[in-house]
Amino acid sequence: MADVARRAGVSAMTVSRALKDKSAVTPETRDRIFQAVQDLGYVLDMSAGALSSKKTGFVSVLIPSLNNSNFSDTVQGISEILDTEGMQVLIGTTNYSRVREEQVIATMLQRRPEGIIVTGGTHTARARSMLETAGIPVIETWDLPVAPIGHVVGFSNAATIEDLMARLMFWGYRRVAFIEGEPGDDTRGHDRRTGYERAVRALGLERSCVISVGRPPVTVEHGAQAVVRLIETWPEVEAVICVSDLSALGAIMECHRRGWDVPGRLAVAGFGDFQVARHCWPSITTVSVGSLAIGQETGTLMLQAIAAMRAGTPLPPRRITIPHTVIERDSTARQPHPAETAPAP
Amino acid sequence: MADVARRAGVSAMTVSRALKDKSAVTPETRDRIFQAVQDLGYVLDMSAGALSSKKTGFVSVLIPSLNNSNFSDTVQGISEILDTEGMQVLIGTTNYSRVREEQVIATMLQRRPEGIIVTGGTHTARARSMLETAGIPVIETWDLPVAPIGHVVGFSNAATIEDLMARLMFWGYRRVAFIEGEPGDDTRGHDRRTGYERAVRALGLERSCVISVGRPPVTVEHGAQAVVRLIETWPEVEAVICVSDLSALGAIMECHRRGWDVPGRLAVAGFGDFQVARHCWPSITTVSVGSLAIGQETGTLMLQAIAAMRAGTPLPPRRITIPHTVIERDSTARQPHPAETAPAP
DNA sequence: CTGTTAGCGCTTTCAG
DNA sequence: CTGAAAGCGCTAACAG
């Protein structure tokens, strides 16, 4: 920067200003500086700027896995918003493990992010305490924790499945099962199962049936395996909710393979409104949770929180609930009863 | 850090050493330091360290979109490897736009990454020159550029489709079409189309037919729309190659919807070996390019290149070709001819 | 094995 | 609008 300053015949400070504020410098000076930057191929060093200004321009985002379009949509939403203020996202993946999350948080904090966004509301004790004492805005997403660390942008995973169950009931299904991954650190999956079980009781259904196959992330293949186990376990089952659209797709494809009609023999619903759910055949009934919207809301809130922090007046904890929607598609369409198609008396 | 040093009764330098080398400090001193770190809740500031040591510990990775499991697999592979040396990945998405790529590169370079990994071998002139003069290792992936900037870890997109075409021919298909997105910045998609057209000529097929629908990224829905257009345009078509598995899935699902048997009426093949391709029904014939392996190879090479750079002896440009494999699945299975099922004479 | 001295490249702060 | 001085928090380099 000193070189640029010399070449433009100004001080380094003026160069610094020209490169950021644009306003605070005479147009001619500015032009001379930009010319010098061009000539020298100078590239600003933000890491030095960060040290000096104590503003790194980073926000850390922790997600279970990049390879889940719901989470990458959320990251996408966050990035879009943060980009508008020139802030960058530092992504970390926890691989659905809380221990791993703790490690990633520890590493991230060494980079001095100006805010940190985590997925879910369940963390190790040490992770939680690191977040609490980090002195930066914290947002938990994809959940509505009872005792949040800071801000929250999410929804109740249990409630989404309760709603879905209510709709299945409304459509006439009574024997409904649930397909999930093996229990572990995937609390969101677990919450959805809880929603299922609560709904079974609340709706007075005769029995519940949960099939757990595969360690999270639950894949298409797990869904295929699970549906076979389900039919063996409970031949009378009429419908099944899968913990995600991917496993729902697997279940449906396995049904095709075995000649079981969907939804005739078995209705199938998923969660997450993945792209394939809308376009596969039959299209999959699911719960949309607005993954992108979660990201955008989170980004917007983070920007406010950071601005408040910089101004020395931390934002009081906010709690934003993202609406979810049950989307009815072909995979649960009730075949018309003979009576229904008969002419009215 | 000064506080920690004081509390442990040592100098800041010793604290710094204890926190990194671990070896270069007496065990007791080390323990005292860690105790002080614990007591004070001290967290190392890597951004200061980076400025001082000129080692940021960052590698930038640019991909078209997070929301494509092929690219996120590659990022995953890169991260895994870089993690082993404590390096972090800074992800940037270009949204399949070269202009956007240029901007992202400019921003990334201000963070002083120790290496940069880009997707594809086609860039704007300014992007290319920024990469060339950045003074850090550059790796281009997912392609085999004729005039690479630095290192290359990739494969020929055209060759993958040529191979797939040869196999379709071998299986007895003669009237083969190609479904792609509208031409634009997606050079990998364009290269695949080129491979298709070269194969049509090389194999002496009577005609080619390319259906272009939708701006990249090509989605499931685009595939569905395209297949309808295809059947209208060329009713005699026997098989179609889709630019990605996602559009292949869309095409197949649309065929189901319209009662066109796959592969009986139309055989469908894709590209990328996405998870759904393996598990949907019918399973999709595709080309696997080892997305994760590309990432791992890239990560390994980047680590070597950075080590060499730090040692002052830049690694001569390497060119690593990742093998691809045509995977035959149900979506192109030839129905047995009557003659073939007849008893041998 | 440990300490001292400088200084990384920028921005804050305060004067002009 | 511009400049000078000081220092962000750490580590390289050298000395003990």
Side-chain angles (χ1 to χ4, degrees), chain A residues 3-328:
Chain A
D3 298 343
V4 174
R6 206 169 307 118
R7 194 172 229 275
V10 295
S11 75
M13 196 53 238
T14 306
V15 175
S16 175
R17 279 195 272 253
L19 262 36
K20 318 201 88 105
D21 289 346
K22 10 196 43 148
S23 58
V25 156
T26 307
E28 301 116 47
T29 323
R30 209 191 77 96
D31 289 349
R32 229 165 346 116
I33 291 172
F34 273 57
Q35 188 57 52
V37 165
Q38 195 89 47
D39 296 348
L40 271 51
Y42 169 74
V43 178
L44 187 66
D45 185 338
M46 293 182 75
S47 65
L51 180 61
S52 175
S53 67
K54 316 186 108 256
K55 287 185 277 192
T56 55
F58 279 132
V59 169
S60 293
V61 178
L62 271 55
I63 54 174
S65 160
L66 273 177
N67 212 331
N68 174 309
S69 63
N70 272 328
F71 298 130
S72 31
D73 281 348
T74 297
V75 173
Q76 173 65 30
I78 294 170
S79 299
E80 273 173 19
I81 304 291
L82 294 186
D83 259 13
T84 63
E85 298 290 324
M87 306 213 60
Q88 258 180 293
V89 167
L90 245 177
I91 301 174
T93 55
T94 64
N95 202 28
Y96 293 89
S97 152
R98 285 204 273 277
V99 171
R100 173 87 186 126
E101 183 189 59
E102 179 183 309
Q103 297 166 346
V104 176
I105 291 172
T107 310
M108 285 296 184
L109 291 181
Q110 300 193 350
R111 296 283 182 189
R112 294 290 186 274
E114 297 190 58
I116 184 162
I117 296 166
V118 296
T119 305
T122 316
H123 319 279
T124 67
R126 208 167 85 79
R128 197 184 163 93
S129 100
M130 284 191 293
L131 293 175
E132 280 165 349
T133 59
I136 54 176
V138 175
I139 305 182
E140 290 169 286
T141 63
W142 277 84
D143 201 354
L144 289 179
V146 179
I149 297 172
H151 310 284
V152 174
V153 178
F155 60 90
S156 160
N157 281 276
T160 60
I161 300 302
E162 288 170 7
D163 284 356
L164 180 53
M165 283 290 286
R167 294 288 286 270
L168 284 171
M169 182 97 174
F170 179 78
W171 297 328
Y173 297 100
R174 291 297 176 271
R175 291 192 283 271
V176 185
F178 188 80
I179 285 177
E180 61 168 6
E182 286 159 17
D185 281 0
D186 180 12
T187 43
R188 284 162 303 288
H190 184 260
D191 288 348
R192 284 173 217 151
R193 178 216 174 119
T194 304
Y196 163 74
E197 284 173 335
R198 285 211 301 244
V200 167
R201 281 196 302 278
L203 299 171
L205 301 182
E206 64 183 24
R207 73 169 276 193
S208 70
C209 173
V210 174
I211 306 287
S212 309
V213 173
R215 290 173 47 72
V218 176
T219 62
V220 179
E221 185 161 22
H222 294 146
Q225 293 166 3
V227 78
V228 175
R229 281 244 307 262
L230 169 61
I231 296 288
E232 286 166 4
T233 311
W234 191 15
E236 299 78 20
V237 64
E238 299 168 335
V240 61
I241 295 175
C242 299
V243 73
S244 86
D245 283 351
L246 252 32
S247 44
L249 179 69
I252 291 174
M253 294 300 150
E254 187 64 29
C255 288
H256 282 180
R257 207 168 278 131
R258 296 183 176 245
W260 301 336
D261 183 53
V262 174
R265 166 64 187 90
L266 181 71
V268 178
F271 174 94
D273 196 19
F274 285 57
Q275 190 194 132
V276 291
R278 180 159 43 247
H279 298 291
C280 77
W281 186 84
S283 56
I284 304 177
T285 293
T286 190
V287 184
S288 170
V289 291
S291 313
L292 186 69
I294 292 177
Q296 290 165 333
E297 289 283 349
T298 302
T300 306
L301 177 57
M302 183 52 85
L303 245 26
Q304 294 174 341
I306 290 173
M309 198 87 222
R310 285 179 177 175
T313 55
L315 205 65
R318 292 254 178 95
R319 186 184 191 85
I320 298 176
T321 303
I322 301 291
H324 62 264
T325 328
V326 174
I327 301 182
E328 183 178 4

Side-chain angles (χ1 to χ4, degrees), chain B residues 96-179:
Chain B
Y96 293 89
S97 151
R98 286 204 272 278
V99 172
R100 173 87 185 124
E101 184 191 56
E102 179 184 307
Q103 297 165 344
V104 176
I105 290 172
T107 309
M108 284 295 183
L109 291 181
Q110 300 194 348
R111 296 283 182 187
R112 295 290 188 272
E114 298 191 57
I116 185 163
I117 296 166
V118 297
T119 305
T122 316
H123 318 279
T124 66
R126 208 168 84 79
R128 195 184 165 95
S129 100
M130 285 192 291
L131 293 175
E132 280 165 349
T133 58
I136 54 175
V138 175
I139 305 183
E140 290 170 287
T141 63
W142 276 86
D143 200 352
L144 289 179
V146 179
I149 298 172
H151 308 285
V152 174
V153 177
F155 60 90
S156 159
N157 281 275
T160 60
I161 299 302
E162 289 170 9
D163 284 357
L164 180 54
M165 282 291 285
R167 293 287 287 271
L168 285 171
M169 182 97 175
F170 178 78
W171 297 328
Y173 297 100
R174 291 294 176 274
R175 292 193 282 272
V176 184
F178 188 79
I179 285 178

